[in-house]
Every structure is written in C-alpha cells, then in structure tokens.
Amino acid sequence: MRRRVSIFGATGSVGANTVSLLLEQGGADTYDVVALTGAGNVALLAEQARALEARTAVTADPARLDELEAALLGSGIAAAAGPEALVAAAAEPVDWAMSAIVGAAGLAPGLRLAEQGIVLALANKESLVCAGDLLRRTCATHGTRLIPVDSEHSAIFQALQGERTAEVDRIILTASGGPFRDWTREAMREVTPAQARAHPNWDMGERISIDSAAMFNKALEVIEAQALFDVNPERIEVLVHPQSIVHSMVGFRDGSILAQLGPSDMRVAIGYALNWPDRRDLPVERLDFARLARLDFGPADPERFPALRLARRVIEMGGLAGAVFNAAKETALDAFLAGRIGFLDMAELVEHVLEDLGPDAAAIGPGYDLEAVLTRDAAARRAGETWVEELIGK
Ligand code: NDP
C-alpha cells in the first residue's frame, strides 16, 4: 500500500535523515509525499521536495517565500510560508508524519497532525514537555498512534512491546554525559558555544547538542518519558553511559531488564518509527561487540548538572510548568548562543523563571488548550529575557 507521508522539519538533522530513509525505501515510487517543511534552509528544502516529488514545500519564514518559489520553479511543487501555512500543511491528509521541528514551534503543527488519526513519529520532544496532556488527549480522541523518535524513548517503546506498563518497575534512561561529562563546574563556567556543540557520539542539530552538553536534553527526556509511558517519576532513573550503545532499559517487577542496543545513529530510531510495526533493512553499522569490548555506566550528577534536578521539579509541579521550563530553556539557549550569558547561567535563568512562574502555570487543571500553553510560553520568554538584561546590567 502506498503511504502518504509528510515531514515537518525536513531540513534539520532528524528531518534530513528521514528524507534519506524515504529515498532509500523507494522515494516517490513508494510514498506519496504530501508536505515537507523547513525554515531558513530553503535551498535544501527545494532539493528534498524535488527528490521526493513532494506536493508542497513550506518554509516557516515568510520572508523566504520568493526564494522558495524560485527554487521550485518548473517543478509543479506548491510553495507556502509562515506559521499558519505550517499548520495548514499539517491538516493535509496523510497516513504517517514526522514531527521534527526544533523547539516549541513544533507544537501547533504537531497537534494538528495528531488530529488526523495517523501514525505520528515524534522527534519534537518539546511538544510533550510543554503540553503532554494536550498532545496525548488529542491523539487519544483522534486515534493517532505516537511513536517516539528520541533514541532513548524508542528503546523504551521497543522494550515495552508485548509488556504491561503495570509490571514496569523502573525505566533507566541512558545519557552519554555529553562533552563535559567529567568536568567540574568551575571548568564549565568558561565553555563556549563551539565547545558545547561538539557532541562526542551523536551528530545532531545545534540546539539539541548544546542542550545535551548542559543535560537539559536529558531533563526534557525525563519529562518526555513520564508523559509517554505514564510511570511514576520516582521510577525513572538517569544513568550515564558514555558509549551511547545501550539506548535505554526497562526493568520489570520480576527483576528482568530489557534493553535496546544499537549504533549511535538516529536512522535506527527513525527507521523503526517509519516502518513500525514492521522492521526493514536499514543502511546502518552493525555492532561488533568484540571490538567494543566494554560498556561503561555511572551515576548522573544533578549537582554539576542542575537541569536534572529541575526536571524533577517540573514533574512535581505538573500542569503547565513544563511549558514554562521549556520556554525558559529556549530563551537561555538563545542568550548563550548570542554570547550574552555563560554556559552555567542557563540553568540559573531556567530555575529562576521556573520558580517564579511555575507555580501559577502548575495550577492549571487538565483540559487546557493550545492558547493556554502559548500564553505560558510567551510569559516565560519575557521573564527569561528580563533576567538576561538584569544580569548584563549588573
Ligand atoms: P535541527 O535544528 O537540525 O532542525 C530543526 C528543523 O526545524 C529544521 O528543519 C529547521 O529548519 C526547522 N525550524 C527551525 N525553527 C523553526 C520554526 N520556528 N518553525 C518551523 N520550523 C523551524 O534540529 P534536530 O533535527 O536536531 O531536532 C529536531 C527535533 O528532534 C528536536 O525537537 C530535537 O530535540 C529532536 N531530536 C533530535 C535528535 C537528533 O539526533 N538531531 C535526536 C532526538 C530528538 P531550517 O533548518 O531550514 O532552518
């Protein structure tokens, strides 16, 4: 059966890997590609749309519409631009979609996709962190099946196949520890964006790479795991595993532990989500255990990486505290990338905004809508910006 597919965030690291797997699996001969989206990288978007014979290409940036139209000239592929066009593209009927926009910008299109009653491959963890209840509710109402794409959550999802959540004793989220795994806080103080971007194992987008270095990515993943698998947060453990071969584990009440292992290559998790419930040949390295020889594990340190502690605080608060946390984190990351604040300031900013706005956001009951999420998101960004200005002004 030919499947209709769309990729949101096609020009990013996850998106481009998804495009390459679609091409690997027959491209336009196998799939009807409905929409591909990007933001700044219009040339790549047009190239991908031509390669997959997509129906529509959408850039999030309205100022780039002319450029996109020019790049698509003569192809018969429609061009569109702007956040509304992204949501409109998410309403175009498909059977499968990849949600791989980075940040809270992925929330509105992701929710619209979830209303289609489809298989939704979810890389955009921020939408679960900001609005886990809303996304899950939308999926349940419309019969959408969420397949996690984060390698850790894909591992847990795979380990849970045929198992009952009630029999889960604990979830062990592995973490590479990033480039500063063994650094003291003093040494981390002077870290530059270029150093933070250089992840030891994974080739990812800039933002998630820096999030990983500060363990904010792992913090998002703890919240994501709680939202996806509905386990008691006390049963979610973070374990440092520098080689990134064991992607995560699930422990059961009888003491058994199931783990999923594989190369540090996102095409494994993306391919699993693309072909689910089947498995197909993927062009990835096969693990050679004799050559690997050893796998190391160690405890995570919330003292050196306060993001881990803040994740627990967000879960404890509940409600829309996750939307505040994520928006503060995105604001902190922008300020760090712009050289306005230091590496360690990011966690301080987030903690300040979370403690300031979190309790009020946490008080919102279930049944909230997208507007409520966006209101908290905007307030947290403003508060984060004020914190940065005050710090610079000191
Ligand atoms: P990238 O930064 O590489 O790509 C992000 C994508 O989103 C690009 O297509 C980009 O367009 C687009 N984009 C950026 N800003 C906006 C916006 N305001 N509105 C709409 N689209 C926008 O990110 P990654 O691929 O690394 O990550 C994507 C998501 O997947 C994130 O949520 C991340 O946490 C998650 N993830 C990523 C992993 C990885 O290996 N990279 C692993 C696990 C999860 P353009 O490039 O054209 O500007």
Side-chain angles (χ1 to χ4, degrees):
M1 186 194 80
R2 284 178 73 80
R3 278 194 296 166
R4 297 164 299 173
V5 304
S6 285
I7 307 174
F8 285 73
T11 51
S13 165
V14 170
N17 273 316
T18 312
V19 169
S20 83
L21 284 180
L22 288 183
L23 288 168
E24 179 85 23
Q25 295 187 180
D29 293 337
T30 310
Y31 299 98
D32 286 329
V33 179
V34 175
L36 298 182
T37 86
N41 200 345
V42 163
L44 177 60
L45 179 62
E47 191 189 306
Q48 293 174 328
R50 283 178 185 272
L52 284 170
E53 299 174 25
R55 212 183 299 156
T56 312
V58 186
T59 163
D61 183 357
R64 293 185 187 264
L65 181 58
D66 291 349
E67 199 187 325
L68 181 60
E69 281 174 342
L72 290 171
L73 205 65
S75 67
I77 299 166
E84 295 80 18
L86 281 181
V87 176
E92 289 295 321
V94 287
D95 304 295
W96 184 92
M98 167 61 80
S99 168
I101 289 173
V102 65
L107 178 57
L111 281 169
R112 191 65 192 83
L113 286 167
E115 287 175 12
Q116 287 206 35
I118 57 171
V119 175
L120 180 56
L122 189 75
N124 178 262
K125 63 189 88 181
E126 295 89 344
S127 48
L128 272 174
V129 171
C130 295
D133 280 348
L134 176 57
L135 184 59
R136 286 200 322 179
R137 193 176 352 117
T138 308
C139 289
T141 307
H142 298 276
T144 283
R145 185 71 205 247
L146 268 190
I147 312 288
V149 172
D150 233 341
S151 57
E152 294 79 357
H153 304 74
S154 174
I156 296 162
F157 184 88
Q158 293 183 50
L160 284 172
Q161 293 304 297
E163 304 290 346
R164 280 189 284 270
T165 318
E167 289 168 354
V168 171
D169 176 45
R170 59 187 174 143
I171 282 182
I172 304 169
L173 273 178
T174 53
S176 71
F180 314 129
R181 190 181 66 237
D182 301 320
W183 289 34
T184 62
R185 277 183 68 73
E186 213 34 54
M188 279 189 259
R189 201 168 293 285
E190 301 304 325
V191 156
T192 64
Q195 287 174 300
R197 205 177 282 131
H199 197 280
N201 304 345
W202 296 96
D203 180 13
M204 309 184 286
E206 176 178 69
R207 298 184 75 87
I208 183 174
S209 298
I210 298 178
D211 278 352
S212 297
M215 289 258 191
F216 267 117
N217 183 48
K218 207 50 59 183
L220 295 178
E221 288 178 7
V222 169
I223 304 167
E224 180 186 10
Q226 210 269 325
L228 274 173
F229 304 113
D230 225 1
V231 272
N232 185 329
E234 279 152 31
R235 294 178 181 268
I236 303 174
E237 300 169 15
V238 176
L239 178 71
V240 171
H241 166 45
Q243 292 92 349
S244 300
I245 295 294
V246 177
H247 296 308
S248 277
M249 311 185 235
V250 179
F252 295 91
R253 61 192 297 180
D254 60 359
S256 288
I257 292 179
L258 294 184
Q260 186 261 346
L261 285 71
S264 315
D265 184 333
M266 279 307 292
R267 288 176 299 177
V268 177
I270 297 169
Y272 181 81
L274 175 62
N275 298 311
W276 178 88
D278 301 328
R279 288 186 188 267
R280 292 182 55 167
D281 294 342
L282 294 175
V284 300
E285 182 201 337
R286 309 287 138 160
L287 286 184
D288 176 349
F289 284 96
R291 196 165 59 82
L292 271 173
R294 57 185 274 187
L295 296 173
D296 299 303
F297 301 96
D301 182 356
E303 294 307 316
R304 282 185 305 127
F305 296 100
L308 295 172
R309 175 170 55 73
L310 297 177
R312 305 283 170 189
R313 184 81 181 110
V314 170
I315 295 174
E316 185 186 293
M317 284 182 174
L320 283 174
V324 170
F325 175 74
N326 181 68
K329 180 202 72 67
E330 291 191 23
T331 308
L333 179 54
D334 288 336
F336 174 64
L337 281 170
R340 299 171 72 208
I341 65 173
F343 185 73
L344 296 182
D345 293 330
M346 289 195 286
E348 283 196 31
L349 181 159
V350 175
E351 181 155 23
H352 171 83
V353 175
L354 181 65
E355 291 306 334
D356 194 19
L357 302 185
D360 185 51
I364 194 154
Y368 61 80
D369 58 9
L370 176 59
E371 207 184 315
V373 183
L374 298 179
T375 304
R376 309 294 168 169
D377 176 281
R381 284 174 202 271
R382 280 194 303 274
E385 183 52 34
T386 305
W387 190 90
V388 172
E389 279 163 15
E390 281 173 9
L391 183 77
I392 294 170
K394 270 182 194 163

